[in-house]
Amino acid sequence: MKVIQITDIHLVPDGKLLFGEDPVTRFRHCIAHVNEHHPDADLCVITGDLTHDGDEASYRILADCLKELKLPVRLLLGNHDERPVFRSVFPHMPADDHGFIQGVHDAGDTRLVFLDTKEPGTHEGRLCADRLAWLDRMLSEAGERSVYLFSHHPPFELDLPSMDWIRLREEADLRTLVKQHGNVRYMFSGHVHRPSGGTWYGTPFATVPGTNHQHALDFALTGPATTSMEPPAYAVLSLRDAGVVVHYHAFMDRSQQFPYYG
Ligand SMILES: [Fe+2]
């Protein structure tokens, strides 16, 4: 299975800039690049911070942009999103019985699980008792199948103090479920606007750059948290029986390429 993960697109209303760049134009470039280079992908997942301010105008721009995408798409919420506004513009996006934007995508022996870690009034990630109970059921249903979790907030600290303070608060509860069911093969997140990867109690994870701005790599946080304009990218996820391959495709890169020989 091939999945395109795009994250933290932070769309704003027409004519506005964000950190000196136009996130809508960049997202349109991203979609065109995906269409050109990855028409064979099975699914595109956008892991939250769909808009910068959670406003209706930006969600409507998102809906318009997505008309160009030639892949089926799943949308997740991030800390910058607003669930009621999102649902008013995307009423058909799957939600659980409590209205959280959570769902699954099943294909053969593979189950993708999409989590909603948005909590109103905070930038922290949260998985309340209702959301954890839903995840428990989805992992139980999956049984022996391979499960891949998608969430906006990564599951634990990434040594980035300016981001770690707004990480997922229910790390221990999530770990309990992952350990109990034993079928989660990989976790894919956004939120930190950086490429990173590693393992979390043995479960591998990856995060993906944003499409507009990145988060400066600051391990000490000696001053205020800052953005950076490092190259944007999306992830190309190859989910196979033998394992997982993650590539980052820098869709704005125009650097010159040379043949190795000749
Ligand atoms: Fe973000």
Side-chain angles (χ1 to χ4, degrees):
M1 186 175 197
K2 180 175 176 179
V3 177
I4 301 299
Q5 183 190 357
I6 301 171
T7 198
D8 292 85
I9 59 179
H10 284 260
L11 299 188
V12 294
D14 273 337
K16 292 196 172 183
L17 298 179
L18 187 60
F19 304 116
E21 294 290 342
D22 177 357
V24 176
T25 298
R26 283 187 166 218
F27 183 52
R28 289 191 186 279
H29 279 310
C30 179
I31 288 176
H33 196 276
V34 169
N35 286 340
E36 179 182 355
H37 295 278
H38 304 287
D40 58 330
D42 298 287
L43 184 69
C44 178
V45 182
I46 307 182
T47 45
D49 281 0
L50 308 171
T51 65
H52 191 62
D53 291 319
D55 58 291
E56 181 179 337
S58 298
Y59 286 117
R60 294 208 177 279
I61 290 171
L62 172 59
D64 185 63
C65 291
L66 290 175
K67 291 176 186 171
E68 301 299 317
L69 180 64
K70 295 175 182 172
L71 300 175
V73 67
R74 293 294 289 252
L75 304 176
L76 279 65
L77 298 188
N79 46 298
H80 281 266
D81 290 305
E82 293 295 338
R83 194 176 293 111
V85 186
F86 171 83
R87 294 201 72 182
S88 72
V89 178
F90 294 94
H92 302 300
M93 194 56 58
D96 69 13
D97 292 342
H98 297 279
F100 294 111
I101 309 304
Q102 305 200 119
V104 299
H105 176 94
D106 289 330
D109 291 335
T110 297
R111 164 165 280 195
L112 311 186
V113 176
F114 310 108
L115 294 172
D116 181 343
T117 56
K118 162 71 184 180
E119 186 73 10
T122 178
H123 286 292
E124 281 185 325
R126 300 299 307 270
L127 285 173
C128 60
D130 289 333
R131 282 174 276 189
L132 286 166
W134 177 88
L135 176 60
D136 190 18
R137 288 199 304 277
M138 295 306 109
L139 295 181
S140 179
E141 270 182 21
E144 299 294 313
R145 283 181 280 174
S146 297
V147 176
Y148 301 89
L149 290 187
F150 290 80
S151 63
H152 181 69
H153 293 79
F156 76 126
E157 291 175 289
L158 299 181
D159 298 337
L160 296 171
S162 58
M163 275 294 182
D164 287 342
W165 74 282
I166 49 173
R167 68 184 183 276
L168 179 69
R169 196 190 287 182
E170 283 76 22
E171 176 189 349
D173 299 295
L174 181 60
R175 185 192 173 202
T176 298
L177 289 179
V178 169
K179 186 176 180 184
Q180 175 189 332
H181 292 283
N183 50 9
V184 175
R185 294 187 75 196
Y186 224 109
M187 301 186 63
F188 302 103
S189 303
H191 187 50
V192 292
H193 291 240
R194 296 209 62 81
S196 71
T199 59
W200 175 65
Y201 295 107
T203 302
F205 74 90
T207 67
V208 179
T211 54
N212 188 67
H213 55 283
Q214 313 310 328
H215 193 72
L217 189 59
D218 184 351
F219 294 111
L221 193 60
T222 53
T226 54
T227 60
S228 83
M229 300 314 288
E230 295 164 69
Y234 58 84
V236 183
L237 313 176
S238 179
L239 314 179
R240 313 171 188 172
D241 290 340
V244 172
V245 177
V246 180
H247 285 289
Y248 294 99
H249 214 150
F251 62 91
M252 300 287 285
D253 177 52
R254 300 291 182 270
S255 60
Q256 196 170 358
Q257 299 180 355
F258 300 92
Y260 277 109
Y261 305 105

